[in-house]
Amino acid sequence: MKVTVVCEHNASMDSEEGKKAYPEGLGVCLKTMLEEAGHSVTLVRTDETGADALTDEIIDNTDVMFWWGHWYHLKVSDEIINKVADRALRGMGMVFLHSAHDSKMFKRLLGSSCSLKWREDGEQERLWCVDLTHPIARGLGEYVDIPHEEMYGEPFDIPTPDELVYIGWFRGGEVFRGGCVFKRGLGKLFYFNPGHETYPTYKLPAVRQLLCQACAYVAPQIPLKDKICCPHIDGFSVKD
Ligand code: ZN
């Protein structure tokens, strides 16, 4: 499967904690994880200049797109958001990680503010599985523990998920819908809250297994459809 990892680079990743968590880079960590699962992976680095490295050719050849961003969501152009959203609605799978809840892409597909409660304490998060039969949770037991993570809490302004797989619990008492699936058009997307850049969350075997299972779950089940709409609409076009 062709997987694209869109991963922002920010100054926090260059801090002592950031380099200690991911000496190779967080994006490279995700890329390697997916390659080990047998996928062909393209890593696209975004930064304060935007996401121009996410070219049409890459978008048009992606089966599943991972999206990690934090500081520079607003730098991603609307043109790129339109293209990725179009492909997602035609069946491309998407996995949104951590602060991607605040990305233009996630908000576009969900249609709400996606705001949440926040605290950066680096405390334990326990993700309780609320659907033990779900393919994303296969073989992972009743819960997944993250030793250190940023707290994301309810209320989380999202539409009711089509499938709720995990609810995160934090030592501060907060809870959070941290693992949920949404169906949009012919595509599926999965949101997973853990993954702040200064904690090595994506090195945890259980998290790697969960994300690889999420990748397989949101993958297109049928060939991607061309855009089809009423020909009277101004600007009507059908992709080649
Ligand atoms: Zn964070």
Side-chain angles (χ1 to χ4, degrees):
M1 199 152 59
K2 289 179 179 169
V3 180
T4 297
V5 175
V6 179
C7 188
E8 173 191 295
H9 185 86
N10 61 48
S12 177
M13 291 167 163
D14 293 328
S15 69
E16 201 175 313
E17 298 86 1
K19 283 182 175 168
K20 191 176 166 197
Y22 298 100
E24 75 281 44
L26 188 151
V28 173
C29 175
L30 292 172
K31 179 176 189 276
T32 306
M33 171 188 86
L34 293 160
E35 283 174 341
E36 286 171 3
H39 303 303
S40 169
V41 187
T42 301
L43 175 59
V44 174
R45 175 171 148 155
T46 67
D47 57 24
E48 70 274 17
T49 65
D52 291 345
L54 187 54
T55 61
D56 289 2
E57 190 185 353
I58 294 172
I59 295 169
D60 291 342
N61 286 289
T62 300
D63 297 312
V64 175
M65 185 177 289
F66 278 61
W67 195 286
W68 191 101
H70 211 170
W71 292 18
Y72 302 122
H73 298 310
L74 298 180
K75 302 292 184 183
V76 181
S77 72
D78 290 341
E79 190 184 355
I80 286 175
I81 295 298
N82 288 342
K83 287 175 185 170
V84 175
D86 174 71
R87 189 164 174 84
L89 294 175
R90 289 190 291 113
M92 178 181 75
M94 295 199 73
V95 176
F96 289 90
L97 299 172
H98 190 51
S99 272
H101 76 88
D102 215 12
S103 65
K104 287 160 86 173
M105 195 65 250
F106 192 63
K107 291 177 179 178
R108 168 70 169 272
L109 291 172
L110 264 59
S112 60
S113 77
C114 302
S115 64
L116 44 71
K117 193 173 287 173
W118 173 86
R119 181 158 50 77
E120 187 175 356
D121 274 356
E123 64 190 28
Q124 177 197 2
E125 177 179 10
R126 176 165 291 182
L127 286 149
W128 287 97
C129 182
V130 293
D131 183 355
L132 290 166
T133 66
H134 201 284
I136 292 177
R138 187 180 300 131
L140 292 169
E142 289 190 336
Y143 59 83
V144 172
D145 266 336
I146 316 282
H148 303 284
E149 194 47 73
E150 206 170 38
M151 192 287 290
Y152 280 5
E154 299 284 345
F156 185 21
D157 181 26
I158 52 172
T160 300
D162 291 297
E163 297 162 15
L164 183 59
V165 190
Y166 284 99
I167 294 177
W169 167 89
F170 293 84
R171 286 212 166 270
E174 300 90 347
V175 293
F176 187 67
R177 288 168 289 174
C180 28
V181 175
F182 297 89
K183 295 177 182 175
R184 290 293 183 270
L186 295 171
K188 284 197 290 253
L189 66 94
F190 178 63
Y191 173 73
F192 187 64
N193 76 278
H196 184 68
E197 67 270 21
T198 58
Y199 308 123
T201 297
Y202 299 134
K203 307 249 171 164
L204 297 170
V207 170
R208 293 169 82 82
Q209 182 180 337
L210 189 158
L211 291 178
C212 288
Q213 288 173 175
C215 180
Y217 187 68
V218 301
Q221 303 299 309
I222 55 173
L224 260 61
K225 295 278 188 193
D226 288 342
K227 182 186 277 184
I228 298 168
C229 64
C230 169
H232 298 124
I233 295 171
D234 191 24
F236 167 78
S237 68
V238 175
K239 280 183 95 70
D240 294 331

